Every structure is written in C-alpha cells, then in structure tokens.
Amino acid sequence: MSNPRYPTLFSPFDLGGYTLRNRIIHASIVTKYIANNAPTEKLINYYRSRAAGGAAAIVTEPIAMTAYNRIPTRLRAWDDVGMGNLRQVADLVNTEGSLLLGQVQDSGRGRHGVGRNDGAVGASALPDDLSWTVPTALSIGEIEAMIEAWARGCRRLKNAGFAGVEISAGHGHLFHQFLSPWSNRRDDEYGGDLEGRTRFLRSLISAIRNECGYPFIIGLKLPADDGVVGGIDMNEASAIAARLAEQRSEFDSWTWAWGSHARSLYKHLPDAHGERHPYLAHIAELRKIAPEVATGGIGYITDPNECETALTNGTADIVFLGRPLITDPSFPNKSRVGREADIRYCVACNTCWRSIIDGQGLECDNNPRVGSPDEHEWQPISVSNPKHIVIVGTGVAALEAAHTAARRGHRITVAGDHSNVGGKTLLHASLPGGENLSSVYDYQYLMANRYEVEFALGRKASADDIVSLQPDVVLLATGSRAGQPHWLDDDWAASGLIPSLREIATDLLERSDTTEGRCVLVDQDHTEMTYAVAELLARRFTKVTIMTSRERLGHDMSLINRQGSYQRLHDLGIEILCNVEPVDLDALENAQLGIRNVYSGALSHIDDVVAVTHASSRIPNDELLAPLQAHGLDVRTIGDSRAPRSLLATTREAYQVANQL
Ligand SMILES: Cc1cc2nc3c(=O)[nH]c(=O)nc-3n(C[C@H](O)[C@H](O)[C@H](O)COP(=O)(O)O)c2cc1C
C-alpha cells in the first residue's frame, strides 16, 4: 500500500524500454568499496541494501571501460574478465526489483587530491583548475578509439544485466572538459564552436546506442553553471542542452550538475549554508528546452515531500538522491509506507565525500552501518543476558549507544546534567549552517524512547548517584571541554576575559546586538563548527580576524567543505592570518593583540581588538572514570570523553561499543 501523500513519487515510470517501480534513482556515488577492479563484500552489501530499500534504480560509480582508464577502485568492463563481477552486482540489484545503471566517466585532467594526475588526457594541454595537472591533449584517433571502447564496455554491462548507463558529462570531468570553452581550445572538429565542443559527447551517445540498441537506458548528467569564469554558465548550459536535444531520440533522460574541478567544486554538494534543493528551479527552466526528455531533479533534495513537489510542479519526472540514500538506504520504502519519522536523514555534512577522498571507503556521520549486511532493515542481535547499562551524558555518543543497546534488549538509563539532548551538536545546530544536525540526535532520541530508554536528565550525576543505580556497565559519554592553549597563561585563563569558542557562541546566541571593533578567533581546531562560530562573530562584531599557527584554515575539513567555508568567510570580509600565534595579551588594554610568526618569530600586532576567543584542542571530561572504577564498576568511555574526535568517530564508536555489550 503506497503512502497517499506521495502518489507521484511512488508511481511507475517508463524509461528506455524499462519500467521504474517508482521515481527514486540512487545518484552515482563513489564508494571506494572496490579493490583490484572487483567488488568487496561492502559493495555487495551497499548495493543490495539500496535496492532492497526501495530505490527504483541505482547509478553505479564510474566503471573502468577503456584500456587507458584501469583504476583499480572501479569495476572492470574494458574486457570480458570482469563479467562475473558485473553479473553478480546486476543480479543482486535486479533480484531486489531495482535496475542498475553503470556510470560512464573519465576524470581527464581533473584531480581532487594533492599532486598531479600522472598520465591524464584531456581536451587541451591546459591545467586543471584544482590540481594544475596539465593533460596530454587527445588526438582524434584516440578520441575515436575511446568512444569505441566505451560503447563496447556499455555492451558488456548490458550483457551482464545492467539496464543502462549514465554518461557523466558534468562535474568538470573529461566530457565536461570538451564541452567547456575554458578547457577546450582545440581547433579541430572536437573543439571551437558549440558543434565542435559537443561532438565528443554526441558521438559517444550515438556509439553507445548503436552498440546497445533497445531496451537500454542512456541518461546524461550535463554541466549547468560550472562556476568557472570563461567556462559554462547557464546560457552556455542551455545551448549545450539544446544541441543535445536534437539527438534526443538516442538518449532517454538528463539531469544537471553544478560546479567543476575548480574552486566551485563544492557547488555539486549543496548544504545547509544555502537554500534547500537550490538547483530545481534551474532544472525546471532547462527542461523546457525539450520537455519530452525525462528530466531528473537533483541536489540537496532531502525528504519525500520535496521529491513529490519536484515531480508534481513540472520540474522533474524522476529524482536522483545521492547523500540521502547513503544515510538511509530505506528512505524509499519508509516514505512509501508512511514511516517518514524513522528515516535517518542526511545532514549534508559531506563527511561521505571526505571519506572517499581520504581513501578509507564511504562513511556517514549519521549512519554508522554503511556497507554492512542488511543495512536497510537492520535488526541487532538480541542479547540472551540483558544488562542494566547506565549511560552518562546527553550527546550523540550517549544517544547512539543508548538506542542501539536498547534495541538489543538491554535496560538503559541515560543520566545527564543537561535537560536537552544533543550535547555539543545541539550548539552546532544553532549556528549558521548547522540546522540539519538536529536530525542526528532527534532520530537517536526518537529511537531511544521507542525502545524504552529511561532518561534522568537535568541533574548532574555524581559517582554515588550512578552506583546507586546498580548498573552492570557504565558508559561515560560526558564529552569534552576546551583546553587551555599554551599562549593563555593561568591569570588570563582565570580572568574569564578570553572565552572559549563554545562559551562565546553560547553567549552570542542569546543576544542580537552588534559590537564595534574586532573579535579575534584563535583557531587550533580547524573543523566546521569553528567557522560556523566565525560566521556568527561576523554578525555580532564589526570586524573579525581568524588566526592560526597552521599554513591554512580548515585543515581537518574536506576540500568541499573548506571551499564553501572559505567562500563564506571571504564574503563576510573576515581577515585570515596563518602561521601566527598570540603573544602579548597585555596589549589588549590598548585594544591590541600581539602576534608572532611561528616560523620566523617576527612580531607584529592587530589593532582595534575588543574580544578574543579560542577554539583550542579539547580535553576529555572523564572525571567520573576513576571514582566509578574504584567502586569496582565496569566503566567504559565513549565519544569525546574517550578522546575528542569527529561526529563520525563518535557515532561509529558508540554504535560499535553498544553492539559489543
Ligand atoms: C561521496 C560522493 C561521491 C560521489 N561520486 C559521484 C560520482 O562518482 N559520479 C557522479 O556523477 N557524481 C558523484 N557524486 C555526486 C552525486 O551523484 C550527486 O550529484 C550529488 O551528491 C548531489 O546529490 P545529493 O544532494 O542528493 O547528494 C558524488 C557525491 C558524493 C557525496
């Protein structure tokens, strides 16, 4: 029985000779769950759960289809050797009633990581805007050979049971590099005017259609505004779409991607610093070029209502969901049966992107189970000997452990001094761009209550209080607090005049006045929350300076989030000083802060300083550990009270510990 709130979302749709069971397609997501061109167990689990979770189709991550592109973290389709693996993946998706589409992509000169992209090919020998990789310009013969190889690769996918492919021609990759006048300066038939720049893509579409025939879905991901001066803006994107539309009998659907391999990369993963689904209005305009082509809505579409609206207001025929299906593979099924409250919603933190770029495989702040078996309808193993577990703390570590252990059959009591749950994340959720984070602890709290966790909140629990509860196990999830930075002597620290970041943020959130003068934020944290506070400071002080002893800000953030953050900090006029630390706090009496270059030792100062705050390395709140152990209790620390780390580390650790109890 389908949820009457989303009649269109859960109606079937005919595409390329196939029928989608609903309108939700899993957008292409690199998982790094592939090794030596073969799927790992995690990839199998990942696809099975997303298919069983109800997506109508899954677009895979890019598949290696050419002799040139044999990246080991891609499935192998450049010859017949990988057919068994391709069949295995297609079968498991098809068995769950979903369709599999392989992504056709080559990064060309594009590179996210440090260093250059050795052996890269491209449209012209011009540097990648991020890595400055200069590719070898492809000859006409090489282009033709690649097109043939891709078409044969697609044929292999079809033989293996794939329902189609998506050609990734956006995101700054190779086909985008040919489409853009910024990166394509060729003077042969594959460059120059629109006709020349679209020729590679148009020939590829024709070759795949010739090779694969029907039924076979060919979808396009085209560049919209790529944010590169001289590149593709919305006018150029429209012109490209209009030229491709002349060939619409050969492909089946299109959608668009924003940003490029440039400072604009972050635009492909919009987050809570901007409006929700920011691209749908543009997509609605672009689809008017050829309304009969099935159109995909994409980009920060987070809940089923937004999906339904995009489908019914003329924007799109299908919706591509990327990050939301990483966080909850059962988003489609839960929406369909009216269990929207049970969805673990994507918070657009982009930790997923960071995890694949850092190379350890896809992970999610709000889903500690990505890639595990039966992730879509996870049921923990029930314990035979239920214990009474007392969890001290109210943050996400406490709540993740509480609902997970309660689901296993343990009796759980959560004791915490705050009357609200959420801990540090609650504060972050109140800061600019943080609003989504509330869904992390809202979900945990909902589940904890559903599984009858007892909450004793609003009173600081002493060791004796905890002992009196007669727990079998105590989990200390008491978080962390700001440490005292080395440049802050004891007198200044005791003065209370240099608040920590959390203290100043808490204070400023209760006020709305603006102070004349400069607030200096000394950054020894380098995570998102620090820059969210910086944005708040920029609303409350007329001048803001962030200083760090490192070479750049945001060292612990993904490239994507760093770009977005830098954009906002610069837009707000915040001054950024690197390689310096404070030295002379006494100068504050004259509204000056002395600073020293950490390499040369050169001294200088900042003027007009009316406030200083510090985001310093945190130290664990583990004071209860020793007294509780002295009572002979089994006590374990989790989250920041074990060691201050990221939200990802916290949810993952709390989940793992709760599963071991
Ligand atoms: C971790 C991660 C990996 C991605 N990998 C790809 C990819 O290989 N190919 C691609 O076309 N898009 C890729 N994307 C972009 C998504 O397909 C999608 O366009 C983007 O996430 C916006 O949709 P969303 O807001 O629903 O996540 C990736 C996104 C993320 C977060």
Side-chain angles (χ1 to χ4, degrees):
M1 169 68 185
S2 201
N3 191 335
R5 296 174 64 187
Y6 318 117
T8 314
L9 185 59
F10 292 103
S11 63
F13 186 69
D14 292 333
L15 189 67
Y18 287 89
T19 301
L20 304 177
R21 60 182 163 183
N22 60 51
R23 309 299 183 92
I24 300 175
I25 299 187
H26 180 297
S28 175
I29 295 286
V30 167
T31 60
K32 293 271 172 80
Y33 292 162
I34 296 168
N36 301 322
N37 302 111
T40 62
E41 203 51 42
K42 273 195 154 182
L43 189 81
I44 301 294
N45 293 337
Y46 183 85
Y47 282 153
R48 183 179 286 123
S49 288
R50 267 93 205 143
I58 295 173
V59 183
T60 68
E61 55 200 285
I63 294 181
M65 298 193 194
T66 63
Y68 152 71
N69 190 337
R70 294 181 177 190
I71 299 170
T73 51
R74 295 184 172 190
L75 291 176
R76 176 171 184 159
W78 70 80
D79 61 13
D80 289 339
V81 173
M83 286 302 285
N85 290 329
L86 297 173
R87 276 201 195 95
Q88 182 192 11
V89 177
D91 280 355
L92 68 93
V93 169
N94 295 340
T95 303
E96 299 293 350
S98 187
L99 303 173
L100 194 61
L101 311 181
Q103 190 169 67
V104 179
Q105 183 258 29
D106 187 298
S107 303
R109 69 184 193 182
R111 183 182 174 87
H112 301 124
V114 290
R116 305 286 198 268
N117 203 358
D118 289 344
V121 294
S124 302
L126 291 166
D128 173 44
D129 298 285
L130 271 181
S131 66
W132 299 330
T133 294
V134 177
T136 303
L138 285 165
S139 69
I140 291 181
E142 286 169 326
I143 293 173
E144 289 169 353
M146 277 179 137
I147 290 173
E148 260 185 60
W150 267 308
R152 280 198 305 271
C154 292
R155 175 81 211 181
R156 284 188 193 96
L157 298 188
K158 179 169 179 168
N159 292 345
F162 284 58
V165 290
E166 179 188 71
I167 303 174
S168 172
H171 294 306
H173 301 312
L174 183 66
F175 310 127
H176 184 161
Q177 290 159 29
F178 271 81
L179 292 170
S180 167
W182 171 248
S183 41
N184 182 346
R185 311 282 174 87
R186 301 173 72 100
D187 53 13
D188 62 11
E189 65 204 76
Y190 287 96
D193 59 8
L194 184 70
E195 192 66 10
R197 282 182 284 108
T198 55
R199 190 179 309 282
F200 194 170
L201 180 56
R202 290 187 291 108
S203 305
L204 180 65
I205 296 168
S206 300
I208 296 174
R209 183 55 79 198
N210 278 340
E211 187 72 32
C212 299
Y214 298 90
F216 194 69
I217 300 168
I218 300 181
L220 308 181
K221 203 175 196 184
L222 295 170
D225 186 348
D226 67 13
V228 175
V229 177
I232 296 175
D233 58 14
M234 287 311 286
N235 287 336
E236 189 64 30
S238 302
I240 291 168
R243 179 62 189 92
L244 287 166
E246 291 176 28
Q247 205 174 328
R248 59 182 165 277
S249 60
E250 289 185 330
F251 67 93
D252 302 291
S253 67
W254 57 13
T255 188
W256 283 268
W258 271 254
S260 187
H261 267 275
R263 265 194 301 282
S264 59
L265 188 69
Y266 72 98
K267 290 181 188 277
H268 87 288
L269 297 182
D271 61 23
H273 291 279
E275 55 188 303
R276 290 190 177 272
H277 47 76
Y279 303 136
L280 290 183
H282 302 287
I283 290 175
E285 281 305 305
L286 286 163
R287 85 165 303 182
K288 289 181 187 159
I289 292 165
E292 64 280 25
V293 177
T295 298
I298 195 166
Y300 194 28
I301 304 172
T302 51
D303 71 33
N305 282 308
E306 292 171 359
C307 296
E308 181 71 18
T309 305
L311 298 172
T312 49
N313 70 5
T315 302
D317 304 291
I318 44 186
V319 284
F320 289 91
L321 301 181
R323 292 166 292 173
L325 296 190
I326 300 175
T327 313
D328 196 333
S330 297
F331 177 117
N333 280 350
K334 288 177 181 171
S335 309
R336 185 171 51 80
V337 300
R339 288 175 53 206
E340 296 93 323
D342 293 357
I343 295 174
R344 228 169 160 163
Y345 285 101
C346 167
V347 298
C349 60
N350 295 333
T351 295
C352 49
W353 200 84
R354 178 190 170 136
S355 66
I356 56 149
I357 298 301
D358 287 355
Q360 70 256 33
L362 191 66
E363 292 187 281
C364 174
D365 274 2
N366 201 17
N367 177 5
R369 292 192 293 277
V370 189
S372 60
D374 299 327
E375 193 193 327
H376 64 289
E377 273 306 340
W378 173 73
Q379 284 303 332
I381 300 165
S382 296
V383 287
S384 47
N385 270 336
K387 297 175 184 153
H388 180 207
I389 297 163
V390 173
I391 302 177
V392 190
T394 51
V396 294
L399 296 176
E400 185 67 28
H403 84 85
T404 306
R407 284 170 94 148
R408 300 189 62 222
H410 293 298
R411 182 183 149 217
I412 309 294
T413 305
V414 172
D417 48 354
H418 296 287
S419 43
N420 293 328
V421 296
K424 174 166 69 83
T425 310
L426 176 69
L427 174 60
H428 194 170
S430 314
L431 295 168
E435 66 190 49
N436 286 341
L437 290 170
S438 59
S439 0
V440 176
Y441 50 80
D442 283 348
Y443 172 88
Q444 294 170 326
Y445 190 56
L446 179 83
M447 288 299 149
N449 278 302
R450 185 174 297 171
Y451 289 92
E452 297 178 358
V453 169
E454 293 162 37
F455 284 92
L457 303 182
R459 183 169 166 265
K460 195 174 171 77
S462 66
D464 287 342
D465 293 334
I466 295 164
V467 172
S468 71
L469 293 169
Q470 298 182 311
D472 298 307
V473 179
V474 179
L475 297 184
L476 272 191
T478 34
S480 60
R481 60 185 181 281
Q484 184 177 331
H486 70 273
W487 49 265
L488 192 63
D489 65 30
D490 289 346
D491 288 344
W492 271 102
S495 74
L497 294 171
I498 313 283
S500 72
L501 195 77
R502 278 194 235 173
E503 288 166 337
I504 200 166
T506 307
D507 178 42
L508 291 177
L509 284 169
E510 285 166 8
R511 296 166 24 196
S512 56
D513 53 310
T514 306
T515 304
E516 276 291 326
R518 183 181 305 279
C519 179
V520 179
L521 191 175
V522 186
D523 178 13
Q524 195 182 325
D525 175 66
H526 284 230
T527 66
E528 279 82 357
M529 186 166 159
T530 291
Y531 308 113
V533 177
E535 290 178 42
L536 177 65
L537 296 177
R539 295 175 192 176
R540 300 286 197 277
F541 292 88
T542 52
K543 295 179 197 162
V544 175
T545 297
I546 306 178
M547 67 159 73
T548 181
S549 56
R550 279 186 175 165
E551 305 78 37
R552 66 173 184 198
L553 295 190
H555 202 76
D556 293 345
M557 292 160 68
S558 71
L559 170 63
I560 291 276
N561 285 7
R562 218 166 47 233
Q563 284 185 336
S565 211
Y566 283 3
Q567 182 70 56
R568 291 187 298 278
L569 298 180
H570 286 290
D571 284 346
L572 288 165
I574 293 177
E575 181 187 35
I576 296 169
L577 301 176
C578 297
N579 302 321
V580 291
E581 61 183 11
V583 277
D584 181 10
L585 297 185
D586 293 339
L588 285 173
E589 283 177 19
N590 302 319
Q592 290 188 333
L593 179 64
I595 57 174
R596 175 173 54 205
N597 182 293
V598 293
Y599 288 104
S600 69
L603 298 173
S604 56
H605 65 264
I606 311 172
D607 286 321
D608 205 13
V609 179
V610 294
V612 178
T613 177
H614 61 94
S616 296
S617 301
R618 290 168 280 144
I619 50 175
N621 290 328
D622 58 1
E623 292 74 14
L624 283 170
L625 181 61
L628 290 173
Q629 282 174 334
H631 279 92
L633 287 175
D634 177 357
V635 192
R636 307 173 199 184
T637 49
I638 55 171
D640 276 11
S641 60
R642 181 176 182 78
R645 286 156 296 162
S646 62
L647 186 57
L648 174 69
T650 293
T651 44
R652 189 177 45 198
E653 179 176 84
Y655 169 76
Q656 285 168 352
V657 168
N659 273 301
Q660 288 155 7
L661 291 168

